[in-house]
Amino acid sequence: MPGLISNFGSFLTFVALPVQLKDLTDSAAAVGAIGAVELIPLLVFGLYGGALADAWDKRKLIVWTEAGQGLLSAALLLNALLPHPAVWPLYVVAALSSALVSVQRPALDSLWPRIVAHEHLPAAASLNSFRWTVGGVAGPAPAGVVVAYAGLGWAYGADLLTFAVSVALVVRIAASPASHEAARPSLRAIAEGARYAWSRKELLGTYAVDLAAMFLAMPLAVLPFLADDLDAEWSLGHGGPPQAFKALGEYASVPLGALLVSLVSGWTARIHRHGRMVVLSAALWGLAIAAAGTMGNVWLVLLFLTVAGGCDMVSGIFRRIMWNQTIPDELRGRLAGIELLSYSVGPTVGQVRSGGFAAWWGVRTSVWSGGVLCVGAVGLLALGLPKLMTYDARTDEHAARVRDRRTAAQV
């Protein structure tokens, strides 16, 4: 519940921040540069955050990083209330927020396998994804309304409130101390996690496929400009509230597709060749994004973005199942840090790619070309990673080892 509340608020800022940057700069490259300033904190703190999650109490990490995110929302609020808001604080907050999220996510992700039975991890993966998608659908809608009619300050203020509520709730959950086998946070501990990941080529395959899909075909940075380019029947002019509604529709479409899939995700428990599903759904994501970039009708764009979101959810569910069912507890935080890089660096750098392509060759070309490149890259990875394609949860030695250890611990 705490994560759901703060996630809802984060999506308010997720929409408001690029909209504010667009208003202040009118530059697709400037909006895409958000990804550039988020990248270095993500790389540094993602890996170190994984080591912290293995060595420290996970609840404390979650509490302090959640409180830090609230302070950053307060900074955005204060800047928005200025007579002439500055651009540079938006980039500073984006970088610091990236650092805090990078520390928090490994603690959150490594907590699930501890509290959920092994056979129920597929359902837990769907439930965890459902938490994100609810915020992704519900957040952009009020964000668009608030930004259009009340102003950016109200969106940032609402985000601050959700973090305050979340912190009040998360301090009440039970402690989750480090495993007695976990290494202290250090470069050596990080290297140990990296060596383990390198030895697991099927895990590397999930990282590589998601990285390619998000880097090449994540169009979020250019959605406000794509909204300007669409001639919607319900648009009454340029620069007014209808433009915000178009933007919010596009921002919410990808999470809406993910939400629809998560609601009917019971079938995922019957699938055992998870690697093949990761590859297939990533390729379909690319096709849907390419189709969205070629459409001139806003409703068709929204439809294909929704389809893309559903495909991304399928990929995410099967990646999490593979990770949670095969990684030992004492390495879970560090591997969660590597996973964070795989599913966060791609979208972060992808914002720079999509913004740069849009500035050079146009918004539509940026979107559809990214989708086409994604399909090609995923196909090449499938050919080059046979262990990912042959992975079967019923026979995999790592899944069997983790399952046996958890069974023995419960006896």
Side-chain angles (χ1 to χ4, degrees), residues 27 37 67 88 111 121 168 174 182 206 208 251 258 261 266 278 302 325 341 355 376:
S27 168
V37 301
W88 66 265
L111 189 61
L121 285 173
T206 65
Y251 277 118
V261 167
V278 169
L302 296 179
Q325 286 188 337
L341 298 185

Side-chain angles (χ1 to χ4, degrees), residues 302-324:
L302 296 179
L303 172 64
F304 281 110
L305 288 176
T306 302
V307 172
C311 295
D312 185 49
M313 172 57 73
V314 173
S315 176
I317 288 174
F318 285 108
R319 291 196 311 270
R320 291 185 186 93
I321 294 172
M322 286 182 66
W323 299 339
N324 292 338

Side-chain angles (χ1 to χ4, degrees), residues 279-345:
V279 169
L280 176 61
S281 53
L284 291 175
W285 153 271
L287 284 174
I289 292 296
T294 63
M295 295 295 120
N297 181 282
V298 66
W299 297 108
L300 290 177
V301 171
L302 296 179
L303 172 64
F304 281 110
L305 288 176
T306 302
V307 172
C311 295
D312 185 49
M313 172 57 73
V314 173
S315 176
I317 288 174
F318 285 108
R319 291 196 311 270
R320 291 185 186 93
I321 294 172
M322 286 182 66
W323 299 339
N324 292 338
Q325 286 188 337
T326 66
I327 298 172
D329 182 70
E330 65 273 14
L331 289 167
R332 194 68 192 85
R334 279 163 285 176
L335 269 293
I338 297 174
E339 293 154 17
L340 171 71
L341 298 185
S342 77
Y343 61 71
S344 297
V345 168

Side-chain angles (χ1 to χ4, degrees), residues 211-223:
L211 187 64
M214 295 296 101
F215 169 65
L216 295 170
M218 176 57 79
L220 292 180
V222 299
L223 287 186

Side-chain angles (χ1 to χ4, degrees), residues 1 10 42 50 102 118 137 167 270 281 303 317 352 354 357 366 400:
M1 179 61 72
S10 295
L42 189 62
S102 300
H118 190 84
V137 173
V167 169
R270 299 189 293 272
S281 53
L303 172 64
I317 288 174
V352 181
S354 61
F357 272 44
S366 174

Side-chain angles (χ1 to χ4, degrees), residues 38-405:
E38 291 175 340
L39 180 59
I40 293 178
L42 189 62
L43 292 171
V44 174
F45 290 95
L47 293 173
Y48 191 67
L52 289 175
D54 278 337
W56 290 8
D57 187 304
K58 294 176 175 57
R59 186 196 64 171
K60 290 181 179 179
L61 283 174
I62 296 169
V63 169
W64 285 109
T65 51
E66 198 82 345
Q69 289 278 68
L71 292 177
L72 294 180
S73 297
L76 288 174
L77 172 60
L78 292 174
N79 183 60
L81 294 177
L82 294 175
H84 301 287
V87 171
W88 66 265
L90 306 184
Y91 291 114
V92 171
V93 168
L96 293 176
S97 177
S98 177
L100 289 174
V101 170
S102 300
V103 172
Q104 184 185 82
R105 286 299 294 269
L108 282 170
D109 291 345
S110 60
L111 189 61
W112 282 91
R114 280 192 172 187
I115 60 179
V116 178
H118 190 84
E119 63 273 16
H120 296 316
L121 285 173
S126 299
L127 181 61
N128 192 31
S129 299
F130 177 79
R131 175 180 65 86
W132 177 84
T133 54
V134 168
V137 173
V145 175
V146 170
V147 169
Y149 290 104
L152 292 160
W154 285 93
Y156 295 138
D159 191 16
L160 173 59
L161 178 61
T162 63
F163 278 115
V165 173
S166 180
V167 169
L169 292 174
V170 78
V171 295
R172 305 172 74 174
I173 67 174
S176 181
S179 168
H180 69 280
E181 301 177 40
R184 295 178 62 84
S186 64
L187 291 177
R188 178 179 295 182
I190 294 172
E192 181 185 1
R195 285 194 298 269
Y196 177 82
W198 183 256
S199 71
R200 298 279 311 279
K201 295 302 186 285
E202 68 278 17
L203 287 184
L204 287 179
T206 65
Y207 303 154
V209 167
D210 189 51
L211 187 64
M214 295 296 101
F215 169 65
L216 295 170
M218 176 57 79
L220 292 180
V222 299
L223 287 186
F225 299 90
L226 183 60
D228 287 343
D229 196 54
L230 293 170
D231 185 19
E233 295 180 359
W234 30 273
S235 176
L236 302 178
H238 295 281
Q243 294 300 100
F245 285 121
K246 286 194 289 182
L248 83 88
E250 290 165 350
Y251 277 118
S253 293
V254 172
L256 175 60
L259 176 62
L260 294 176
V261 167
S262 67
L263 290 174
V264 295
S265 58
W267 60 273
T268 59
R270 299 189 293 272
I271 304 297
H272 305 287
R273 295 187 177 274
H274 303 148
R276 293 183 181 181
M277 292 302 297
V278 169
V279 169
L280 176 61
S281 53
L284 291 175
W285 153 271
L287 284 174
I289 292 296
T294 63
M295 295 295 120
N297 181 282
V298 66
W299 297 108
L300 290 177
V301 171
L302 296 179
L303 172 64
F304 281 110
L305 288 176
T306 302
V307 172
C311 295
D312 185 49
M313 172 57 73
V314 173
S315 176
I317 288 174
F318 285 108
R319 291 196 311 270
R320 291 185 186 93
I321 294 172
M322 286 182 66
W323 299 339
N324 292 338
Q325 286 188 337
T326 66
I327 298 172
D329 182 70
E330 65 273 14
L331 289 167
R332 194 68 192 85
R334 279 163 285 176
L335 269 293
I338 297 174
E339 293 154 17
L340 171 71
L341 298 185
S342 77
Y343 61 71
S344 297
V345 168
T348 301
V349 182
Q351 290 187 73
V352 181
R353 186 212 65 82
S354 61
F357 272 44
W360 295 330
W361 296 304
V363 174
R364 297 285 189 87
T365 301
S366 174
V367 177
W368 70 255
S369 65
V372 172
L373 290 171
C374 168
V375 175
V378 170
L380 291 175
L381 288 169
L383 292 174
L385 294 165
K387 285 194 174 183
L388 175 65
M389 299 301 290
T390 58
Y391 174 85
D392 190 324
R394 296 166 295 187
T395 57
D396 180 74
E397 60 176 312
H398 302 285
R401 187 177 300 119
V402 170
R403 181 169 54 246
D404 293 342
R405 287 179 62 178

